[in-house]
Amino acid sequence: MKKTLLLFILVCSTYLYSQTSQYVEFPDIKSEVSPNKARIYIIRPTGKLSHYYITLSSNGDMIGRLDYKNYLCWDVNAGTYNLEGAFEGNKIRKDQTENKDFFTVNAKEGKTYYIRLSPGYGLTTGKASFDIIESEKAKEYIKKFPQPKVKYVN
């Protein structure tokens, strides 16, 4: 009984602790991408530098605040999207030597893009780096991780 209660408290605290917030509309991820849209997932799968949040923007617009073992997801029109990440408290592009990795998505209609956002140690502050993640691995993470808290009203 004690083990069950402890496990329950641990699971609940993990979900309550999650500070991932999304500032754009969150799509119905159980449905296919609309034929005239593309879907972008940004996934932060590791606990490395877990005590720092990463803020994410696309073409200068804030998308969300990403905690570890969480993800953000939003639909876009076809076009080019420049993704930028910075550790919470640092303005994006404040220090070019630390936050120098940016990522461009040339979104095509009907496609889904899975991108990993990984924190790393820099000389004076943390840095964020982007890379493509295989769709099967990304889908495993998405099933395990909680959906972000959406702070958006249409």
Side-chain angles (χ1 to χ4, degrees):
M1 180 67 175
K2 288 182 182 180
K3 288 182 182 179
T4 305
L5 181 61
L6 182 61
L7 181 61
F8 177 75
I9 291 170
L10 181 64
V11 168
C12 288
S13 67
T14 300
Y15 283 101
L16 291 173
Y17 175 73
S18 174
Q19 295 298 313
T20 293
S21 300
Q22 182 163 314
Y23 311 132
V24 295
E25 186 175 359
F26 188 84
D28 177 5
I29 61 172
K30 292 180 179 156
S31 67
E32 294 293 319
V33 181
S34 174
N36 62 340
K37 298 277 189 175
R39 183 165 291 161
I40 300 173
Y41 283 91
I42 304 295
I43 303 167
R44 184 177 172 190
T46 66
K48 184 177 183 184
L49 293 170
S50 61
H51 51 289
Y52 290 105
Y53 303 105
I54 297 177
T55 54
L56 180 78
S57 74
S58 174
N59 292 350
D61 296 325
M62 291 300 298
I63 299 298
R65 177 182 192 227
L66 191 57
D67 195 4
Y68 75 101
K69 295 189 177 182
N70 276 269
Y71 67 95
L72 300 171
C73 177
W74 69 105
D75 288 349
V76 296
N77 293 318
T80 302
Y81 296 88
N82 296 309
L83 305 177
E84 304 170 304
F87 281 88
E88 186 95 357
N90 294 323
K91 291 183 179 172
I92 292 176
R93 294 188 185 209
K94 175 183 174 189
D95 184 348
Q96 292 290 333
T97 62
E98 298 294 331
N99 290 307
K100 63 183 178 182
D101 196 15
F102 304 98
F103 197 86
T104 300
V105 176
N106 186 16
K108 306 285 187 208
E109 292 179 348
K111 288 197 69 175
T112 299
Y113 301 89
Y114 300 99
I115 301 160
R116 177 180 20 237
L117 179 54
S118 302
Y121 295 99
L123 293 175
T124 59
T125 62
K127 60 183 179 180
S129 63
F130 296 93
D131 64 292
I132 297 290
I133 186 170
E134 315 79 47
S135 63
E136 292 308 313
K137 187 67 177 170
K139 289 174 185 176
E140 287 177 28
Y141 287 133
I142 292 163
K143 283 181 188 174
K144 290 192 300 190
F145 297 165
Q147 287 186 1
K149 294 176 185 173
V150 179
K151 296 184 176 184
Y152 171 85
V153 176
N154 192 4

